[in-house]
Amino acid sequence: MLKRLLVLLALLASPAVFATVPAWVGSTYAPNGAVSYTPTAGNDLVIQVIGLGGTSVLSSLSDSVGGDTVLADSSYTVVSGLGIGVYRVHNATAVSHTFTPNWATTPTVDYYVTVYEVSGISGVDTGAGTISINTGSSISPVTESLTPTANDDFLLAAITANNFETLGSWTNGFTQKTTYSGGPTFTTAYLVQSTAGAVSAGVGFSTGVAWAAKLVAYSAAGNTTPSVVGQAEASSATAQTSLATGTPFNVQAGDRFCAVVASESPTPPTVTDTAGDNFNLTGAVTPQSGYYLYAYLTSNGAANSAETVTAHGTSIFAVAALQLRGLVSSLTSYFPGAPGSIVQVTGGPALNYNPQVAPGTGTDEITSLTAALNVHPAMVIGFSAIPGKNGAAVNAAPNAGTGFTAQTGVWGTWGGGAGDYLGVFETEQLTSVTPVAATFTAPTYGTVAYGTFVWIIPASSVGP
């Protein structure tokens, strides 16, 4: 029988923060290969990968600077041969960065990689709406509409077409910064939105051809919209007694980490970070006999430019951590005991989890149990994985549920190789006190076992 013990009420003082107006600092682009750029320390680098035709799939984007994390703000999506993906390095190190697209299959047509240096942003404004690729065939291509809820968002748009186009002016005050019309066409532009509200970005074409467009909104640094600012992970094909995330985090005081560890041991691992913060166990499931998934939560106590998260114990196969900003620094954490006996668990407020066997491939069939807060706004963080090696040599990570935004998959080494992911984090902004679960959809593997967690954490605007 599962025992639930209330073990900690953590109250951490958060420093006062004030919003900074973002600014474009510089940009560059290059065709059909890597692109290099040297930023000012602390600024963000936003990278767009734009495919001008073909169906090649982008596996990942790598950065030559090993200590900086490349975040998938909006993964590369191809529709009708046109692709757009948006990636970012937060608080980039002030050295030359070379960004290289890693393709699952070699592109047979042109693609471009653009780099924007931006100051004063904290992360994707996930409260502005779901990022998606918009498509059509006309002389007036336009992105989907996003609705920032705080002033001074930085909005970055990309539009592409597999045809030579003479470009008109951008709409809604966007400023064009990069463009190419040597056959296929792409163009990018940005806007600092002084007053929050619904916005889209469009440009005029000379002919009515097929096009694709994407818009991403970034919160001004100091605004209270919660955001994902980092992710790191590690996994092993063999059991380990200690396993650390492979890429260091660049953190600020008050950042939060949600972490998950996979193990063959019924004894929960301990989790530490470079700064010595206390990771509290918030959930445990045994979706498959012999494998255990453990969830953790902490609040970072101090800034650190090289933070790693490490799991310690026996028979550890994988660890993953998600770095979050703009969340309240006071939470009640619940400690579950006897993980080997868990079948269905009702956790405490803001936390829940669920093991499932054969959920099927229907939309949102993979799910945690529900959790609820009595305050909002908040961020919902979900994680789901196939433990063990059921998905060996394939990408078996589930897709994000309805309304959620997925991060890059994790645990490829355990899954069989690069890109053979077994798990994934997702996030969603919560604007009401309605109970909510983290949901996912299995793309293929509906008959295996999944373990799913949900954390619901209030935004920093609602409390200390």
Side-chain angles (χ1 to χ4, degrees):
M1 178 178 180
L2 178 68
K3 299 178 181 178
R4 292 174 291 142
L5 303 175
L6 182 62
V7 296
L8 182 67
L9 182 62
L11 295 172
L12 299 176
S14 294
V17 291
F18 302 93
T20 300
V21 178
W24 171 85
V25 178
S27 56
T28 190
Y29 70 90
N32 302 324
V35 61
S36 297
Y37 189 93
T38 302
T40 300
N43 289 343
D44 282 38
L45 295 177
V46 182
I47 307 97
Q48 298 166 315
V49 180
I50 302 171
L52 306 183
T55 58
S56 298
V57 175
L58 184 66
S59 299
S60 63
L61 182 74
S62 59
D63 182 2
S64 61
V65 180
D68 287 1
T69 302
V70 177
L71 300 169
D73 290 342
S74 178
S75 296
Y76 188 81
T77 307
V78 179
V79 179
S80 301
L82 300 171
I84 303 173
V86 184
Y87 303 83
R88 178 171 49 93
V89 174
H90 183 62
N91 286 344
T93 304
V95 297
S96 178
H97 294 248
T98 299
F99 296 102
T100 304
N102 303 305
W103 299 94
T105 56
T106 302
T108 57
V109 295
D110 288 343
Y111 67 89
Y112 279 76
V113 182
T114 75
V115 180
Y116 270 70
E117 180 181 2
V118 184
S119 66
I121 61 174
S122 61
V124 175
D125 183 356
T126 53
T130 302
I131 302 168
S132 62
I133 192 166
N134 198 29
T135 60
S137 182
S138 69
I139 62 172
S140 302
V142 64
T143 68
E144 80 284 6
S145 179
L146 295 177
T147 308
T149 56
N151 296 341
D152 297 325
D153 266 21
F154 184 92
L155 295 115
L156 183 60
I159 295 177
T160 181
N162 191 13
N163 190 63
F164 174 82
E165 295 295 325
T166 300
L167 299 177
S169 299
W170 279 81
T171 62
N172 295 330
F174 278 77
T175 299
Q176 180 177 296
K177 279 298 175 185
T178 58
T179 188
Y180 173 79
S181 295
T185 295
F186 84 85
T187 180
T188 70
Y190 79 94
L191 170 71
V192 178
Q193 189 185 45
S194 58
T195 302
V199 65
S200 60
V203 72
F205 274 0
S206 53
T207 61
V209 297
W211 50 262
K214 184 176 282 189
L215 180 65
V216 181
Y218 294 97
S219 296
N223 277 345
T224 55
T225 301
S227 61
V228 176
V229 292
Q231 176 180 282
E233 56 97 16
S235 63
S236 173
T238 58
Q240 305 292 314
T241 57
S242 178
L243 193 61
T245 53
T247 303
F249 293 99
N250 192 345
V251 300
Q252 297 178 8
D255 286 357
R256 282 200 167 275
F257 288 109
C258 291
V260 180
V261 179
S263 169
E264 285 183 326
S265 173
T267 301
T270 58
V271 178
T272 62
D273 66 6
T274 310
D277 297 310
N278 184 29
F279 280 76
N280 304 301
L281 183 65
T282 59
V285 292
T286 56
Q288 179 177 320
S289 177
Y291 288 99
Y292 305 88
L293 295 178
Y294 300 96
Y296 300 81
L297 179 65
T298 194
S299 182
N300 187 69
N304 190 326
S305 61
E307 181 102 340
T308 56
V309 175
T310 304
H312 311 266
T314 57
S315 299
I316 295 170
F317 283 88
V319 58
L322 194 67
Q323 179 190 2
L324 307 162
R325 187 163 296 157
L327 298 174
V328 72
S329 62
S330 172
L331 274 184
T332 301
S333 296
Y334 285 75
F335 185 100
S341 67
I342 296 174
V343 178
Q344 294 285 325
V345 179
T346 301
L351 309 164
N352 225 320
Y353 30 94
N354 192 27
Q356 288 176 282
V357 177
T361 57
T363 302
D364 298 332
E365 291 292 341
I366 301 170
T367 181
S368 69
L369 300 183
T370 58
L373 288 176
N374 60 1
V375 295
H376 68 85
M379 175 177 272
V380 183
I381 304 100
F383 180 87
S384 189
I386 299 176
K389 300 174 184 177
N390 301 38
V394 296
N395 180 5
N399 296 328
T402 302
F404 285 88
T405 299
Q407 303 302 309
T408 303
V410 298
W411 301 351
T413 301
W414 194 24
D420 299 332
Y421 303 125
L422 296 183
V424 66
F425 281 104
E426 65 177 14
T427 59
E428 179 185 43
Q429 297 292 329
L430 188 65
T431 57
S432 71
V433 295
T434 303
V436 66
T439 63
F440 298 82
T441 299
T444 304
Y445 295 92
T447 60
V448 297
Y450 291 83
T452 304
F453 298 94
V454 63
W455 302 258
I456 308 178
I457 308 174
S460 58
S461 58
V462 306

PDB file of all heavy atoms in Angstrom, residues 42-71:
ATOM      1  N   GLY A  42      25.379  36.598 -22.533  1.00  0.00           N
ATOM      2  CA  GLY A  42      24.078  36.716 -21.891  1.00  0.00           C
ATOM      3  C   GLY A  42      22.909  36.884 -22.820  1.00  0.00           C
ATOM      4  O   GLY A  42      21.758  36.729 -22.403  1.00  0.00           O
ATOM      5  N   ASN A  43      23.152  37.224 -24.097  1.00  0.00           N
ATOM      6  CA  ASN A  43      22.053  37.327 -25.049  1.00  0.00           C
ATOM      7  C   ASN A  43      21.631  35.944 -25.528  1.00  0.00           C
ATOM      8  O   ASN A  43      22.363  34.967 -25.382  1.00  0.00           O
ATOM      9  CB  ASN A  43      22.448  38.197 -26.248  1.00  0.00           C
ATOM     10  CG  ASN A  43      22.557  39.664 -25.881  1.00  0.00           C
ATOM     11  OD1 ASN A  43      22.050  40.089 -24.844  1.00  0.00           O
ATOM     12  ND2 ASN A  43      23.221  40.441 -26.723  1.00  0.00           N
ATOM     13  N   ASP A  44      20.444  35.881 -26.112  1.00  0.00           N
ATOM     14  CA  ASP A  44      19.949  34.630 -26.677  1.00  0.00           C
ATOM     15  C   ASP A  44      20.252  34.572 -28.171  1.00  0.00           C
ATOM     16  O   ASP A  44      20.253  35.604 -28.857  1.00  0.00           O
ATOM     17  CB  ASP A  44      18.439  34.497 -26.473  1.00  0.00           C
ATOM     18  CG  ASP A  44      18.075  34.076 -25.060  1.00  0.00           C
ATOM     19  OD1 ASP A  44      18.725  34.531 -24.106  1.00  0.00           O
ATOM     20  OD2 ASP A  44      17.148  33.276 -24.909  1.00  0.00           O
ATOM     21  N   LEU A  45      20.489  33.373 -28.672  1.00  0.00           N
ATOM     22  CA  LEU A  45      20.599  33.129 -30.103  1.00  0.00           C
ATOM     23  C   LEU A  45      19.390  32.303 -30.540  1.00  0.00           C
ATOM     24  O   LEU A  45      19.174  31.204 -30.026  1.00  0.00           O
ATOM     25  CB  LEU A  45      21.901  32.388 -30.435  1.00  0.00           C
ATOM     26  CG  LEU A  45      23.190  33.156 -30.166  1.00  0.00           C
ATOM     27  CD1 LEU A  45      24.401  32.290 -30.473  1.00  0.00           C
ATOM     28  CD2 LEU A  45      23.241  34.446 -30.989  1.00  0.00           C
ATOM     29  N   VAL A  46      18.593  32.842 -31.446  1.00  0.00           N
ATOM     30  CA  VAL A  46      17.418  32.149 -31.972  1.00  0.00           C
ATOM     31  C   VAL A  46      17.749  31.696 -33.392  1.00  0.00           C
ATOM     32  O   VAL A  46      18.119  32.518 -34.240  1.00  0.00           O
ATOM     33  CB  VAL A  46      16.174  33.050 -31.968  1.00  0.00           C
ATOM     34  CG1 VAL A  46      14.968  32.277 -32.468  1.00  0.00           C
ATOM     35  CG2 VAL A  46      15.912  33.584 -30.556  1.00  0.00           C
ATOM     36  N   ILE A  47      17.631  30.403 -33.637  1.00  0.00           N
ATOM     37  CA  ILE A  47      18.056  29.820 -34.901  1.00  0.00           C
ATOM     38  C   ILE A  47      16.842  29.267 -35.636  1.00  0.00           C
ATOM     39  O   ILE A  47      16.072  28.480 -35.068  1.00  0.00           O
ATOM     40  CB  ILE A  47      19.079  28.688 -34.682  1.00  0.00           C
ATOM     41  CG1 ILE A  47      20.247  29.179 -33.816  1.00  0.00           C
ATOM     42  CG2 ILE A  47      19.586  28.153 -36.015  1.00  0.00           C
ATOM     43  CD1 ILE A  47      20.132  28.837 -32.354  1.00  0.00           C
ATOM     44  N   GLN A  48      16.676  29.686 -36.885  1.00  0.00           N
ATOM     45  CA  GLN A  48      15.610  29.158 -37.726  1.00  0.00           C
ATOM     46  C   GLN A  48      16.229  28.255 -38.796  1.00  0.00           C
ATOM     47  O   GLN A  48      17.198  28.642 -39.455  1.00  0.00           O
ATOM     48  CB  GLN A  48      14.847  30.286 -38.415  1.00  0.00           C
ATOM     49  CG  GLN A  48      14.144  31.251 -37.475  1.00  0.00           C
ATOM     50  CD  GLN A  48      13.708  32.507 -38.204  1.00  0.00           C
ATOM     51  OE1 GLN A  48      14.472  33.085 -38.977  1.00  0.00           O
ATOM     52  NE2 GLN A  48      12.486  32.939 -37.972  1.00  0.00           N
ATOM     53  N   VAL A  49      15.687  27.047 -38.944  1.00  0.00           N
ATOM     54  CA  VAL A  49      16.059  26.162 -40.053  1.00  0.00           C
ATOM     55  C   VAL A  49      14.889  26.175 -41.027  1.00  0.00           C
ATOM     56  O   VAL A  49      13.760  25.817 -40.660  1.00  0.00           O
ATOM     57  CB  VAL A  49      16.364  24.742 -39.571  1.00  0.00           C
ATOM     58  CG1 VAL A  49      16.754  23.851 -40.756  1.00  0.00           C
ATOM     59  CG2 VAL A  49      17.476  24.755 -38.531  1.00  0.00           C
ATOM     60  N   ILE A  50      15.138  26.604 -42.268  1.00  0.00           N
ATOM     61  CA  ILE A  50      14.066  26.838 -43.239  1.00  0.00           C
ATOM     62  C   ILE A  50      14.337  25.994 -44.477  1.00  0.00           C
ATOM     63  O   ILE A  50      15.351  26.184 -45.161  1.00  0.00           O
ATOM     64  CB  ILE A  50      13.988  28.332 -43.616  1.00  0.00           C
ATOM     65  CG1 ILE A  50      13.766  29.183 -42.354  1.00  0.00           C
ATOM     66  CG2 ILE A  50      12.872  28.579 -44.623  1.00  0.00           C
ATOM     67  CD1 ILE A  50      13.885  30.679 -42.589  1.00  0.00           C
ATOM     68  N   GLY A  51      13.458  25.024 -44.747  1.00  0.00           N
ATOM     69  CA  GLY A  51      13.585  24.174 -45.919  1.00  0.00           C
ATOM     70  C   GLY A  51      12.760  24.715 -47.068  1.00  0.00           C
ATOM     71  O   GLY A  51      11.578  25.019 -46.901  1.00  0.00           O
ATOM     72  N   LEU A  52      13.372  24.817 -48.239  1.00  0.00           N
ATOM     73  CA  LEU A  52      12.710  25.423 -49.387  1.00  0.00           C
ATOM     74  C   LEU A  52      12.116  24.396 -50.337  1.00  0.00           C
ATOM     75  O   LEU A  52      11.705  24.723 -51.447  1.00  0.00           O
ATOM     76  CB  LEU A  52      13.704  26.316 -50.144  1.00  0.00           C
ATOM     77  CG  LEU A  52      14.400  27.387 -49.295  1.00  0.00           C
ATOM     78  CD1 LEU A  52      15.292  28.251 -50.157  1.00  0.00           C
ATOM     79  CD2 LEU A  52      13.391  28.235 -48.556  1.00  0.00           C
ATOM     80  N   GLY A  53      12.042  23.141 -49.911  1.00  0.00           N
ATOM     81  CA  GLY A  53      11.448  22.092 -50.727  1.00  0.00           C
ATOM     82  C   GLY A  53      11.932  20.738 -50.253  1.00  0.00           C
ATOM     83  O   GLY A  53      12.971  20.629 -49.610  1.00  0.00           O
ATOM     84  N   GLY A  54      11.193  19.673 -50.561  1.00  0.00           N
ATOM     85  CA  GLY A  54      11.589  18.333 -50.158  1.00  0.00           C
ATOM     86  C   GLY A  54      10.937  17.906 -48.867  1.00  0.00           C
ATOM     87  O   GLY A  54      10.234  18.672 -48.207  1.00  0.00           O
ATOM     88  N   THR A  55      11.208  16.669 -48.479  1.00  0.00           N
ATOM     89  CA  THR A  55      10.552  16.080 -47.303  1.00  0.00           C
ATOM     90  C   THR A  55      11.545  15.621 -46.243  1.00  0.00           C
ATOM     91  O   THR A  55      11.187  14.854 -45.358  1.00  0.00           O
ATOM     92  CB  THR A  55       9.686  14.885 -47.737  1.00  0.00           C
ATOM     93  OG1 THR A  55      10.519  13.914 -48.399  1.00  0.00           O
ATOM     94  CG2 THR A  55       8.567  15.323 -48.670  1.00  0.00           C
ATOM     95  N   SER A  56      12.790  16.063 -46.317  1.00  0.00           N
ATOM     96  CA  SER A  56      13.800  15.638 -45.352  1.00  0.00           C
ATOM     97  C   SER A  56      13.395  16.035 -43.936  1.00  0.00           C
ATOM     98  O   SER A  56      12.847  17.119 -43.707  1.00  0.00           O
ATOM     99  CB  SER A  56      15.159  16.250 -45.696  1.00  0.00           C
ATOM    100  OG  SER A  56      15.610  15.807 -46.955  1.00  0.00           O
ATOM    101  N   VAL A  57      13.709  15.162 -42.984  1.00  0.00           N
ATOM    102  CA  VAL A  57      13.367  15.380 -41.579  1.00  0.00           C
ATOM    103  C   VAL A  57      14.620  15.815 -40.826  1.00  0.00           C
ATOM    104  O   VAL A  57      15.685  15.206 -40.959  1.00  0.00           O
ATOM    105  CB  VAL A  57      12.788  14.101 -40.955  1.00  0.00           C
ATOM    106  CG1 VAL A  57      12.550  14.299 -39.457  1.00  0.00           C
ATOM    107  CG2 VAL A  57      11.498  13.709 -41.662  1.00  0.00           C
ATOM    108  N   LEU A  58      14.497  16.891 -40.060  1.00  0.00           N
ATOM    109  CA  LEU A  58      15.610  17.377 -39.242  1.00  0.00           C
ATOM    110  C   LEU A  58      15.619  16.625 -37.912  1.00  0.00           C
ATOM    111  O   LEU A  58      14.671  16.722 -37.124  1.00  0.00           O
ATOM    112  CB  LEU A  58      15.466  18.880 -38.993  1.00  0.00           C
ATOM    113  CG  LEU A  58      16.611  19.543 -38.225  1.00  0.00           C
ATOM    114  CD1 LEU A  58      17.895  19.510 -39.039  1.00  0.00           C
ATOM    115  CD2 LEU A  58      16.249  20.971 -37.851  1.00  0.00           C
ATOM    116  N   SER A  59      16.689  15.873 -37.656  1.00  0.00           N
ATOM    117  CA  SER A  59      16.781  15.111 -36.403  1.00  0.00           C
ATOM    118  C   SER A  59      17.117  16.003 -35.225  1.00  0.00           C
ATOM    119  O   SER A  59      16.553  15.866 -34.140  1.00  0.00           O
ATOM    120  CB  SER A  59      17.840  14.009 -36.540  1.00  0.00           C
ATOM    121  OG  SER A  59      17.510  13.107 -37.560  1.00  0.00           O
ATOM    122  N   SER A  60      18.068  16.936 -35.426  1.00  0.00           N
ATOM    123  CA  SER A  60      18.475  17.821 -34.339  1.00  0.00           C
ATOM    124  C   SER A  60      19.312  18.955 -34.916  1.00  0.00           C
ATOM    125  O   SER A  60      19.714  18.932 -36.082  1.00  0.00           O
ATOM    126  CB  SER A  60      19.291  17.061 -33.280  1.00  0.00           C
ATOM    127  OG  SER A  60      20.498  16.556 -33.846  1.00  0.00           O
ATOM    128  N   LEU A  61      19.569  19.943 -34.068  1.00  0.00           N
ATOM    129  CA  LEU A  61      20.466  21.049 -34.409  1.00  0.00           C
ATOM    130  C   LEU A  61      21.559  21.078 -33.354  1.00  0.00           C
ATOM    131  O   LEU A  61      21.275  21.152 -32.156  1.00  0.00           O
ATOM    132  CB  LEU A  61      19.710  22.378 -34.426  1.00  0.00           C
ATOM    133  CG  LEU A  61      20.539  23.604 -34.808  1.00  0.00           C
ATOM    134  CD1 LEU A  61      20.826  23.606 -36.312  1.00  0.00           C
ATOM    135  CD2 LEU A  61      19.812  24.890 -34.411  1.00  0.00           C
ATOM    136  N   SER A  62      22.808  20.988 -33.769  1.00  0.00           N
ATOM    137  CA  SER A  62      23.911  20.953 -32.811  1.00  0.00           C
ATOM    138  C   SER A  62      24.651  22.276 -32.770  1.00  0.00           C
ATOM    139  O   SER A  62      24.676  23.031 -33.745  1.00  0.00           O
ATOM    140  CB  SER A  62      24.880  19.823 -33.153  1.00  0.00           C
ATOM    141  OG  SER A  62      25.417  19.984 -34.460  1.00  0.00           O
ATOM    142  N   ASP A  63      25.254  22.550 -31.612  1.00  0.00           N
ATOM    143  CA  ASP A  63      26.012  23.771 -31.374  1.00  0.00           C
ATOM    144  C   ASP A  63      27.449  23.376 -31.062  1.00  0.00           C
ATOM    145  O   ASP A  63      27.696  22.475 -30.254  1.00  0.00           O
ATOM    146  CB  ASP A  63      25.393  24.539 -30.200  1.00  0.00           C
ATOM    147  CG  ASP A  63      26.092  25.859 -29.892  1.00  0.00           C
ATOM    148  OD1 ASP A  63      27.035  26.220 -30.614  1.00  0.00           O
ATOM    149  OD2 ASP A  63      25.690  26.518 -28.923  1.00  0.00           O
ATOM    150  N   SER A  64      28.414  24.033 -31.684  1.00  0.00           N
ATOM    151  CA  SER A  64      29.822  23.720 -31.445  1.00  0.00           C
ATOM    152  C   SER A  64      30.256  24.041 -30.027  1.00  0.00           C
ATOM    153  O   SER A  64      31.279  23.532 -29.558  1.00  0.00           O
ATOM    154  CB  SER A  64      30.703  24.483 -32.441  1.00  0.00           C
ATOM    155  OG  SER A  64      30.538  25.892 -32.286  1.00  0.00           O
ATOM    156  N   VAL A  65      29.504  24.903 -29.319  1.00  0.00           N
ATOM    157  CA  VAL A  65      29.831  25.248 -27.936  1.00  0.00           C
ATOM    158  C   VAL A  65      29.166  24.225 -27.027  1.00  0.00           C
ATOM    159  O   VAL A  65      27.951  24.264 -26.807  1.00  0.00           O
ATOM    160  CB  VAL A  65      29.374  26.679 -27.594  1.00  0.00           C
ATOM    161  CG1 VAL A  65      29.727  27.021 -26.148  1.00  0.00           C
ATOM    162  CG2 VAL A  65      30.022  27.677 -28.544  1.00  0.00           C
ATOM    163  N   GLY A  66      29.945  23.301 -26.511  1.00  0.00           N
ATOM    164  CA  GLY A  66      29.384  22.169 -25.777  1.00  0.00           C
ATOM    165  C   GLY A  66      28.675  22.532 -24.494  1.00  0.00           C
ATOM    166  O   GLY A  66      27.826  21.783 -24.034  1.00  0.00           O
ATOM    167  N   GLY A  67      29.019  23.663 -23.878  1.00  0.00           N
ATOM    168  CA  GLY A  67      28.391  24.022 -22.609  1.00  0.00           C
ATOM    169  C   GLY A  67      27.059  24.706 -22.732  1.00  0.00           C
ATOM    170  O   GLY A  67      26.411  24.987 -21.720  1.00  0.00           O
ATOM    171  N   ASP A  68      26.599  25.005 -23.947  1.00  0.00           N
ATOM    172  CA  ASP A  68      25.316  25.688 -24.151  1.00  0.00           C
ATOM    173  C   ASP A  68      24.283  24.700 -24.696  1.00  0.00           C
ATOM    174  O   ASP A  68      24.602  23.858 -25.533  1.00  0.00           O
ATOM    175  CB  ASP A  68      25.478  26.860 -25.126  1.00  0.00           C
ATOM    176  CG  ASP A  68      26.208  28.037 -24.500  1.00  0.00           C
ATOM    177  OD1 ASP A  68      26.598  27.920 -23.324  1.00  0.00           O
ATOM    178  OD2 ASP A  68      26.392  29.058 -25.179  1.00  0.00           O
ATOM    179  N   THR A  69      23.048  24.834 -24.228  1.00  0.00           N
ATOM    180  CA  THR A  69      21.967  23.932 -24.615  1.00  0.00           C
ATOM    181  C   THR A  69      21.179  24.503 -25.786  1.00  0.00           C
ATOM    182  O   THR A  69      20.785  25.665 -25.763  1.00  0.00           O
ATOM    183  CB  THR A  69      21.000  23.710 -23.436  1.00  0.00           C
ATOM    184  OG1 THR A  69      21.736  23.177 -22.330  1.00  0.00           O
ATOM    185  CG2 THR A  69      19.884  22.742 -23.804  1.00  0.00           C
ATOM    186  N   VAL A  70      20.928  23.671 -26.810  1.00  0.00           N
ATOM    187  CA  VAL A  70      20.060  24.068 -27.911  1.00  0.00           C
ATOM    188  C   VAL A  70      18.641  23.614 -27.582  1.00  0.00           C
ATOM    189  O   VAL A  70      18.376  22.413 -27.444  1.00  0.00           O
ATOM    190  CB  VAL A  70      20.518  23.448 -29.245  1.00  0.00           C
ATOM    191  CG1 VAL A  70      19.550  23.821 -30.371  1.00  0.00           C
ATOM    192  CG2 VAL A  70      21.924  23.910 -29.591  1.00  0.00           C
ATOM    193  N   LEU A  71      17.726  24.565 -27.427  1.00  0.00           N
ATOM    194  CA  LEU A  71      16.328  24.277 -27.109  1.00  0.00           C
ATOM    195  C   LEU A  71      15.505  24.242 -28.390  1.00  0.00           C
ATOM    196  O   LEU A  71      15.681  25.078 -29.283  1.00  0.00           O
ATOM    197  CB  LEU A  71      15.769  25.353 -26.186  1.00  0.00           C
ATOM    198  CG  LEU A  71      16.470  25.536 -24.839  1.00  0.00           C
ATOM    199  CD1 LEU A  71      15.976  26.796 -24.150  1.00  0.00           C
ATOM    200  CD2 LEU A  71      16.244  24.319 -23.967  1.00  0.00           C
TER     201      LEU A  71
END
